[in-house]
Amino acid sequence: AVGASFFTVFVTDFFGDDIAECDSVDTKCRAQCQCDNDFFGMDCSMTIDAYQSKRNSAELLCTTLAVTRSSVDVTESTILSDCATVTALFKDMTVISDDAYFNCSKVVTDSILQSPTLVVEDDVMPTVVRALSALLERGVFISDDIFENIVSAIEVLNDYRQAILSAGEEPFELYT
């Protein structure tokens, strides 16, 4: 990368422990650029002006999504749009401020908690799951309150999806 001085490898679990090496197929770790002083972003390709511009845009977009969410009817289309936006925006977590993270995470979790029957539909659920995954990329830097909302949203998503998958099946008893 343009401004990269070196790469470090770290575990992406919620503990953030450093490790010595990472296999390319290991989903528990990843390479991360550590940028020189004059470059920013996940790939160290942004100048300070570009970084600040992207960070401000992310802040404005997340705030707009949160404000808009409270004034429009939630539909499959709005959920798909909001979740796809958050997923794309969070590809470079270095430009996401705490306020932007709060607002965007609220949009995703509220979509699930307030409209669970919409988010578990076959054409919506993959996009919602990708957005949740993007939220979890923040790792150890997720506040307890937001993390609890994400976990609640995942539990609701799981429960409603199971209900859809088991609809129409005859109940049975299992003795062990």
Side-chain angles (χ1 to χ4, degrees):
V2 175
S5 56
F6 62 95
F7 291 89
T8 56
V9 179
F10 63 95
V11 174
T12 59
D13 67 9
F14 289 110
F15 303 110
D17 297 327
D18 289 336
I19 58 173
E21 57 185 57
C22 179
D23 189 273
S24 63
V25 294
D26 189 344
T27 59
K28 297 181 188 108
C29 59
R30 64 179 174 191
Q32 177 181 344
C33 290
Q34 184 165 351
C35 303
D36 289 334
N37 291 336
D38 297 334
F39 294 93
F40 302 87
M42 71 178 197
D43 63 356
C44 302
S45 65
M46 288 186 267
T47 64
I48 185 67
D49 291 337
Y51 171 78
Q52 288 175 333
S53 175
K54 193 163 185 176
R55 191 171 173 92
N56 291 340
S57 295
E59 181 93 31
L60 179 61
L61 185 54
C62 287
T63 300
T64 301
L65 286 175
V67 169
T68 303
R69 172 49 54 110
S70 64
S71 62
V72 287
D73 292 331
V74 177
T75 65
E76 283 186 18
S77 179
T78 59
I79 292 169
L80 285 168
S81 175
D82 292 349
C83 287
T85 299
V86 170
T87 301
L89 193 60
F90 281 30
K91 287 204 182 301
D92 186 352
M93 195 61 78
T94 67
V95 299
I96 305 300
S97 69
D98 290 344
D99 288 340
Y101 186 83
F102 173 82
N103 284 324
C104 274
S105 67
K106 186 162 177 41
V107 167
V108 173
T109 57
D110 283 357
S111 292
I112 297 166
L113 297 172
Q114 295 171 5
S115 305
T117 57
L118 293 177
V119 298
V120 295
E121 294 298 325
D122 289 342
D123 56 337
V124 179
M125 189 166 167
T127 303
V128 172
V129 169
R130 280 191 292 278
L132 286 168
S133 182
L135 294 178
L136 291 171
E137 278 293 315
R138 196 159 202 195
V140 296
F141 303 106
I142 302 173
S143 73
D144 290 343
D145 291 342
I146 293 174
F147 185 70
E148 287 175 22
N149 284 344
I150 293 170
V151 169
S152 294
I154 291 170
E155 288 171 348
V156 166
L157 191 66
N158 181 57
D159 291 347
Y160 274 76
R161 184 62 181 187
Q162 277 186 329
I164 283 178
L165 294 177
S166 63
E169 292 184 12
E170 291 294 321
F172 65 92
E173 291 184 32
L174 181 64
Y175 299 99
T176 57

